[in-house]
């Protein structure tokens, strides 16, 4: 048996396995073989992690630390991420099979969130309220919520954690991180940087294990104040329900079936590249995947042909290799799901333009690959146009005019992202107004920034990550009334 790397949790500043000594194997999607193991935590471990975070919130150096000092820790953490980005990216690739080129850039970019929210930490201000009661001095304070649980999925574990962790820490909360059971290693490796940056013990803790075993207990835990979740919509709904039972704050970043709309007046070659990057980057395993390509009839045949020929040149291979353009699917169950959807699409009468199965190459046989796949002549009522696949399957849907484009684009339970390709400025603004989604990209796709809010309309989620207001998701407002008058008037009457 090949040597496995063992990653442990961090609870109250101490590295440890699970209370009962069990481990979960972590497999490399390119080799199909386990390469590491992480603690298989149970209910006792939930209490241990939450208690540590709660203790750090109420006692010790963290609650009395100035906001400026907190900000400094976050900025130092950002610097350490820049230093160690290559190492963390490699761990991420071994776990999730995404391209090293993409992961290295993504991890390096994560540093900006810590620098940015580090800068915001000491700009959290309350206000003085000029109330109608002249003998009262009334002011507000904005305070942290308490223990925040960050639950992350397998597709971009560290980036999606960063979107939660940076604002939550800047606001003064303490944290329990529950990474995906498939991709916990990079999060556990990242914890070395938390310690090196100088965060006090217990401020950030990790808890690895299966969501089905420990997720509900974690969300319902009476000492947890907020859950920041990214994952599938069915899981999101159960997290929301569990949080409701305990009246907890939540943010939910869920799935999508995002429309990427090509008008006949667009720069077609750019739109083709936008369509490719929308669905084949990260093997389609992104919540913002432009999985529905809506194409105006006048250019429909041309776009179908160009997208299929471009995608046919994609180089599948080892994600560690700089020449690879499409890597494997992260998990075996997800690969099965993607392949099943190919059958669904065929059964519904969609026309397969490219791919449609697994690559027939001996060097890829151990990895969890599927072919970049394109279905044309899809109608928006087919399952392939309605359900999130989370894989490299593009559905191309024709439309006549702006009205029909809007109607199809919005005919979905989701509303995470969207793309519009046009050279008409009036059309660009009108579409941006009319599409019901948290992000609209015009003549580009997949741009995100620490400065810009991200989140979903409809079933794609609740709340926003990144940008100035993300910090509000981790704060609550207290109103303080100071009576400046002598004595207390009639105690039986509300003043
Ligand atoms: P998932 O919902 O299966 O799991 C997400 C996380 O939730 C994991 O850590 C899992 O262990 C945990 N979990 C599972 N059951 C739980 C429960 N009952 N209570 C609490 N936690 C539980 O999602 P996944 O398969 O890891 O990720 C893919 C999904 O994530 C896709 O549907 C995708 O659209 C979504 N996603 C959304 C965004 C976004 O920002 N909107 C970003 C990336 C991924």
């Amino acid at each position: 048996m090949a040597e496995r790397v063992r990653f442990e949790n961090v609870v109250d500043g101490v590295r440890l396995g699970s209370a009962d000594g069990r481990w979960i194997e972590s497999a490399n999607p390119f080799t199909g073989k386990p390469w590491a193991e992480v603690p298989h935590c149970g209910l006792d471990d939930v209490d241990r992690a939450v208690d540590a975070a709660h203790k750090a919130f109420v006692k010790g150096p963290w609650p009395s630390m100035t906001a400026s000092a907190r900000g400094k820790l976050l900025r130092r953490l950002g610097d350490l991420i820049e230093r160690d980005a290559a190492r963390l990216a490699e761990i991420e690739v071994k776990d999730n099979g995404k391209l090293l080129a993409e992961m290295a850039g993504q991890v390096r970019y994560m540093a900006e969130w810590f620098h940015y929210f580090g800068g915001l930490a000491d700009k959290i201000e309350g206000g003085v309220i000029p109330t109608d009661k002249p003998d009262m001095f009334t002011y507000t304070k904005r305070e942290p919520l308490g223990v925040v649980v960050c639950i992350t999925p397998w597709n971009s574990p560290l980036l999606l954690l960063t979107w939660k962790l940076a604002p939550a820490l800047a606001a003064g909360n303490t944290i329990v991180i529950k990474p995906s059971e498939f991709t916990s290693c990079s999060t556990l490796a990242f914890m070395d940087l938390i310690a090196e940056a100088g965060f006090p013990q217990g401020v950030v803790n990790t808890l690895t294990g299966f969501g089905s075993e420990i997720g509900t207990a974690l969300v319902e835990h009476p000492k947890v104040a907020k859950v920041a979740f990214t994952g599938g919509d069915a899981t999101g709904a159960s997290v929301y329900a569990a949080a409701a039972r305990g009246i907890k704050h939540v943010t939910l970043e869920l799935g999508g079936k995002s429309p990427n709309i090509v008008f006949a007046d667009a720069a077609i070659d750019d739109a083709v590249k936008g369509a490719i990057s929308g669905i084949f980057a990260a093997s389609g395993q992104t919540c913002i995947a432009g999985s529905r390509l809506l194409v105006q009839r006048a250019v429909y045949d041309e776009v179908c042909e160009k997208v299929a020929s471009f995608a046919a040149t994609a180089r599948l291979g080892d994600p560690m290799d700089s020449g690879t353009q499409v890597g494997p699917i992260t998990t075996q169950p997800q690969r099965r799901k993607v392949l099943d959807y190919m059958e669904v699409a065929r059964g519904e009468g969609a026309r397969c333009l490219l791919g449609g199965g697994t690559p027939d190459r001996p060097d890829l046989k151990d990895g969890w690959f599927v072919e970049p796949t394109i279905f044309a002549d899809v109608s928006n009522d087919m399952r392939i146009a309605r359900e999130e696949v989370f894989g490299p399957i593009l559905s191309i849907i024709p439309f006549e005019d702006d009205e029909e484009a809007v109607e199809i684009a919005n005919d979905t339970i989701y509303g995470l992202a969207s793309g519009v390709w046009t050279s008409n400025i009036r059309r660009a603004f009108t579409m941006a107004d009319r599409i019901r989604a948290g992000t609209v990209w015009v003549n580009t796709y997949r741009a995100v920034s620490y400065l810009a809010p991200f989140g979903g309309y409809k079933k794609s989620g609740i709340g926003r990550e990144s940008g100035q207001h993300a910090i509000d998701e981790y704060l609550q407002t207290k109103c303080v009334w100071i009576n400046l008058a002598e004595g207390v008037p009639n105690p039986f009457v509300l003043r």
Side-chain angles (χ1 to χ4, degrees), residues 169-191:
L169 287 173
N173 299 282
T174 59
I175 312 289
V176 176
I177 306 167
K178 155 67 189 85
S180 165
E181 50 271 38
F182 293 106
T183 56
S184 298
C185 298
S186 56
T187 300
L188 299 188
F190 170 75
M191 291 301 290

Side-chain angles (χ1 to χ4, degrees), residues 98-217:
K98 282 198 181 176
L99 303 186
L100 182 60
E102 171 153 358
M103 286 298 109
Q106 199 174 85
V107 177
R108 222 174 302 116
Y109 195 30
M110 272 165 45
E112 301 296 346
W113 271 263
F114 290 99
H115 290 147
Y116 175 76
F117 284 101
L120 279 184
D122 56 7
K123 291 155 197 79
I124 300 167
E125 295 172 350
V128 175
I129 314 288
T131 69
D132 55 332
K133 303 179 197 327
D135 48 0
M136 295 277 189
F137 182 75
T138 308
Y139 65 95
T140 58
K141 293 181 71 192
R142 299 175 70 220
E143 297 189 334
L145 302 171
V147 175
V148 173
V149 167
C150 303
I151 302 180
T152 53
W154 44 255
N155 58 331
S156 285
L158 283 179
L159 183 72
L160 298 172
L161 169 63
T162 292
W163 291 5
K164 299 160 180 49
L165 191 60
L169 287 173
N173 299 282
T174 59
I175 312 289
V176 176
I177 306 167
K178 155 67 189 85
S180 165
E181 50 271 38
F182 293 106
T183 56
S184 298
C185 298
S186 56
T187 300
L188 299 188
F190 170 75
M191 291 301 290
D192 287 340
L193 305 190
I194 296 273
E196 191 179 342
F199 284 90
Q201 289 181 358
V203 170
V204 185
N205 308 275
T206 59
L207 178 74
T208 51
F210 292 91
S212 54
E213 290 177 17
I214 53 173
T216 301

Side-chain angles (χ1 to χ4, degrees), residues 151-155 160 163 178-182 209-212 215-216 219 229-233 235-236 238-239 253-256 286-287 334 388 390 416 454 460 465:
I151 302 180
T152 53
W154 44 255
N155 58 331
L160 298 172
W163 291 5
K178 155 67 189 85
S180 165
E181 50 271 38
F182 293 106
F210 292 91
S212 54
T216 301
V219 172
F229 173 86
T230 297
D233 43 330
T235 318
S238 85
V239 165
E253 299 284 4
L254 309 175
T286 72
C287 49
Q334 183 61 22
E388 184 180 50
F390 222 61
L416 191 59
F454 177 85
S460 288
E465 298 190 310

Side-chain angles (χ1 to χ4, degrees), residues 3 7 16 19 60 76 125 146 182 194 199 230-231 242 245 283 289 298 364 381 403 405 448 462 475 494:
E3 187 79 0
F7 293 89
L16 26 94
R76 197 178 299 151
E125 295 172 350
F182 293 106
I194 296 273
F199 284 90
T230 297
R245 288 194 286 278
S283 300
L364 303 182
D381 55 1
E403 211 49 49
V448 292
I462 294 175
L475 289 164
L494 182 71

